[in-house]
Structure formats: C-alpha cells, structure tokens
Amino acid sequence: DIQVTQSPSSLSASVGDRVTISCRTSQPINNYIHWYQQIPGKAPKLLVSSASTLQSGVPGRFAGSGFGTQFTLTITGLQPEDFATYYCQQSYLPPPIFGPGTKVEI
Amino acid sequence: EVQLVESGGGLVQPGGSLRVSCTASGFTLSSHWMHWVRQAPGKGLVWVSRINTGGSSTSYADSVKGRFTVSRDNAQNTLYLQLNSLRDEDTAVYYCARAQGDGAAIYDVWGQGALVTVSS
C-alpha cells in the first residue's frame, strides 16, 4: 500500500495567520491527492481535489499544490471556522489511504 | 439538498453482528460508486470498503475482509454495510461517502456517521 504522511501533526495559529500543511506519499502519485477538513463531531468535508482543484463553495483562502510525492495545503488568512483537523488522501492506487491528520488549533 | 443519512449504529457484543444503512437523497445513488470509511475514537480516517454502481464489484480493507459485506439497493437509494464477527477494534464511527462521478475515490458527499460500539 502507498504510505501517506503529514506534517506537522498539530500546530498553533492565530486568526489571520498563513498556515501550511504538508503531505508526502511513499511513491509518486501524480496529482491524485485530496484534502479534507474535519470539525470535531462532524463528517469530513472535501476542500481540494486532485492536488489543486478547489471545491465549489470552499473559500479562496484555501489552496492546494504539489505533484509527485509532495503536496501542500495552504490557508491564507486563517478564520475562526478553520480551526479543525485536515487530512490528505491518495487515490492513485487502491486502497485509498488517508494521512494521519494535522490539527490546527489556537 | 444532496445528502446521505446513516442509521443502524449501536452497541454490540464482541462476535456479534450489526447492519448500518445509508440512504441517499437529492441525487441518484445508482450513478455513483460508494465507499465506507471509519474513524475510531480520537483517531484518523480509515477506508473500509467500496462498491461499484451496480453492486457487482466490491472491495474491502484487509482488516475487515471476510467479516464485513457492502451492498446496495439502488431502487431504494440505500447503501448497506453488514458487520459480522465484530471485534473491539471495530469500534468506530462509520461514514458512508459518495465517490465523485467518474468513480475516483474522491469523496464529495459524506453521511453524518453511525457510531458502532463493540463491547461486552
């Protein structure tokens, strides 16, 4: 199976900050990486698909980038509602694998 | 409104069985591959199973293979996950998730989750 890692596992930030979350895969996966946001007690929500495609309704302060084995989710101008856990997930080869998550907290 | 609503979670003893259902509304279930993803308390997301549009092809994580069965009734717009021979480590919130239109494992709609607790 493809291994997916994320860093950092958690970070502290303030409203208005720029936050960067990294995701790395154990082998090249082109752009088959997707990012989800999960607020405690809620289901995950798809933010970015295929490394950089922002989903409809997702604020423009979220941006994804990367190709191959290294990917990044950037939040520019952190808002109170952005404090959550973020997961990347590969779909290049089955089974789909999620990263361990990055918790963004105050 | 496009949504998935799950039901059927609960408390079950080790070795027991349970069926979780996921009912779709606002879209045609038969047009989408569907997946199950679980999340143990305080842990991350783990893929469990998937089923193609017609129900003829299924796949499972090694940890549940031979114990869990995914199925669907497109006429009823409902997806199912039958959980047998349950173990303590199967305790989790089980989410059904819709794969985007081309069948790729990109989950654009999620259910609210069904909590399954395995304990004596």
Side-chain angles (χ1 to χ4, degrees):
Chain A
D1 293 357
I2 294 175
Q3 306 304 308
V4 181
T5 57
Q6 285 183 239
S7 62
S9 56
S10 65
L11 65 90
S12 294
S14 301
V15 172
D17 283 355
R18 181 174 184 268
V19 167
T20 299
I21 300 169
S22 296
C23 178
R24 180 172 295 189
T25 56
S26 58
Q27 66 182 75
I29 62 165
N30 293 337
N31 66 338
Y32 289 78
I33 203 76
H34 322 293
W35 291 94
Y36 301 85
Q37 176 194 61
Q38 187 177 34
I39 294 168
K42 301 292 187 181
K45 173 187 175 183
L46 179 65
L47 297 177
V48 173
S49 64
S50 303
S52 60
T53 301
L54 201 65
Q55 297 303 291
S56 175
V58 175
R61 61 181 179 273
F62 291 91
S65 64
F67 190 86
T69 63
Q70 298 197 57
F71 305 89
T72 300
L73 177 70
T74 302
I75 312 171
T76 303
L78 199 67
Q79 296 299 300
E81 60 268 30
D82 300 336
F83 291 94
T85 299
Y86 294 84
Y87 295 92
C88 58
Q89 174 239 327
Q90 73 83 21
S91 65
Y92 183 69
L93 285 175
I97 300 289
F98 292 86
T102 295
K103 186 175 183 180
V104 176
E105 50 194 354
I106 300 173
Chain B
E1 180 189 5
V2 171
Q3 63 176 353
L4 295 167
V5 177
E6 304 182 31
S7 59
L11 175 64
V12 60
Q13 292 187 339
S17 297
L18 201 65
R19 189 177 79 164
V20 180
S21 301
C22 169
T23 301
S25 60
F27 71 98
T28 303
L29 186 71
S30 60
S31 297
H32 293 268
W33 291 42
M34 295 296 294
H35 294 239
W36 289 95
V37 175
R38 71 183 180 182
Q39 186 170 37
K43 302 298 184 181
L45 302 167
V46 177
W47 175 81
V48 172
S49 180
R50 67 96 177 133
I51 186 168
N52 70 344
T53 53
S56 61
S57 174
T58 59
S59 181
Y60 300 92
D62 288 344
S63 59
V64 307
K65 200 172 296 182
R67 301 187 299 120
F68 290 10
T69 302
V70 59
S71 61
R72 63 194 299 160
D73 183 341
N74 286 335
Q76 297 295 322
N77 263 350
T78 303
L79 174 75
Y80 302 101
L81 185 67
Q82 177 69 40
L83 296 74
N84 295 334
S85 302
L86 282 161
R87 307 166 180 168
D88 290 351
E89 56 266 32
D90 295 319
T91 294
V93 174
Y94 285 76
Y95 294 102
C96 57
R98 186 181 83 169
Q100 282 191 338
D102 61 359
I106 306 171
Y107 309 121
D108 61 352
V109 181
W110 294 69
Q112 85 283 5
L115 176 62
V116 173
T117 303
V118 184
S119 175
S120 54

